């Protein structure tokens, strides 16, 4: 059983593929679905592509589907709004594209080491250093984002389990408030940890870098 967003070691072609190629393929897939898919049956093609990629990566369907469980409630909300504003065909297209996009992103994260993603991000953002962009900080933000996604999923799951244990029916307020409060508390704890390491202080970072630099 794999936790959300956690890399699964392997030797498949998907695992050996460079992170840049996988991310580029994911972007192409998402853009193609967003632009070209107009009818529900057209979702079959990108779904088949993802199924083939998952088979090549030897990622079992339950493991891949488990990655989208935390966002099902969001899909439900989007589906309701789409049904109100459009029709059922457009609703299937919008929700289908979102679902397949998340599955594609999950497949990339399951077959790509976080360090490879961070190295790629640092290289891509590197040329922007002359404009004041710090590639290391961008990589840090990406790393925290990747880490926070499974944490948020675990928080949603724990809130749902606590609600069921108390025998409570579904209530949007009873569900959303603990999730938001828990997320804010974790964000505060993360912020305190970053402050303790002076990662929020460019001057401190510069001093540290200056101390390590040769005279």
């Amino acid at each position: 059983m794999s936790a959300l967003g956690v890399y699964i070691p392997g030797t498949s072609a998907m695992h050996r593929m460079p992170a840049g190629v996988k991310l580029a393929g994911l972007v192409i897939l998402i853009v193609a679905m967003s632009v070209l898919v107009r009818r529900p049956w057209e979702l079959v093609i990108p779904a088949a592509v993802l199924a083939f990629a998952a088979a090549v990566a030897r990622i079992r369907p339950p493991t891949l589907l488990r990655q989208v469980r935390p966002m099902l409630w969001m899909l439900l909300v989007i589906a309701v709004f789409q049904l109100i504003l459009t029709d059922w065909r457009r609703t299937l297209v919008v929700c289908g594209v979102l679902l397949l996009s998340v599955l594609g992103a999950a497949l990339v994260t399951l077959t790509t080491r976080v360090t490879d993603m961070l190295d790629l991000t640092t290289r891509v953002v590197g040329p922007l250093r002359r404009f004041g962009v710090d590639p290391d900080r961008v990589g840090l933000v990406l790393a925290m984002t990747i880490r926070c996604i499974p944490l948020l999923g675990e928080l949603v799951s724990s809130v749902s389990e606590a609600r069921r244990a108390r025998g409570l029916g579904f209530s949007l307020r009873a569900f959303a408030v603990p999730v938001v409060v828990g997320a804010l508390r974790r964000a505060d704890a993360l912020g305190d940890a970053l402050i303790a390491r002076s990662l929020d202080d460019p001057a401190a970072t510069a001093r540290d870098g200056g101390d390590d630099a040769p005279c």
Side-chain angles (χ1 to χ4, degrees):
M1 181 175 180
S2 171
L4 293 175
V6 176
Y7 169 73
I8 299 178
T11 58
S12 69
M14 279 290 294
H15 287 82
R16 297 194 304 270
M17 191 178 298
V21 175
K22 284 185 277 192
L23 289 175
L26 176 63
V27 171
I28 292 173
L29 177 66
I30 293 175
V31 171
M33 288 192 297
S34 302
V35 173
L36 301 178
V37 174
R38 289 292 177 265
R39 292 179 290 273
W41 66 267
E42 294 174 347
L43 292 168
V44 173
I45 297 176
V49 171
L50 287 176
F52 175 76
V56 171
R58 301 186 183 94
I59 301 295
R60 299 176 59 186
T63 300
L64 190 58
L65 293 175
R66 191 159 47 244
Q67 310 304 308
V68 302
R69 186 185 303 169
M71 66 162 293
L72 291 180
W73 64 272
M74 183 178 68
L75 276 179
L76 179 60
V77 173
I78 294 174
V80 171
F81 276 102
Q82 286 293 321
L83 284 173
I84 294 174
L85 299 176
T86 59
D87 57 17
W88 66 270
R89 295 180 182 84
R90 183 59 184 169
T91 300
L92 287 178
V93 169
V94 171
C95 293
V97 168
L98 286 175
L99 181 62
L100 292 177
S101 298
V102 173
L103 286 173
L107 184 59
V108 170
T109 58
L110 291 174
T111 58
T112 309
R113 292 182 177 88
V114 174
T115 52
D116 293 338
M117 290 188 182
L118 298 183
D119 290 342
L120 174 65
T121 302
T122 303
R123 291 197 303 271
V124 171
V125 181
L128 299 179
R129 190 187 298 272
R130 68 186 66 179
F131 301 106
V133 178
D134 187 348
D136 294 330
R137 285 180 178 269
V138 175
L140 176 62
V141 171
L142 177 61
M144 290 190 298
T145 302
I146 294 173
R147 177 56 186 149
C148 286
I149 290 174
L151 285 177
L152 185 58
E154 293 170 3
L155 178 60
V156 170
S157 298
S158 63
V159 170
S160 299
E161 291 173 1
R163 177 179 54 81
R164 287 194 296 267
R166 292 180 175 87
L168 301 177
F170 179 78
S171 169
L172 184 59
R173 178 184 298 178
F175 174 78
V177 171
V179 170
V180 172
V181 172
L184 291 176
R185 286 178 177 173
R186 296 192 181 194
D188 286 340
L190 179 59
D192 292 340
L194 293 176
I195 292 173
R197 291 166 175 79
S198 300
L199 292 177
D200 67 324
D201 186 358
T205 304
R207 287 195 302 270
D208 293 340
D211 293 340
D212 295 336
C215 296

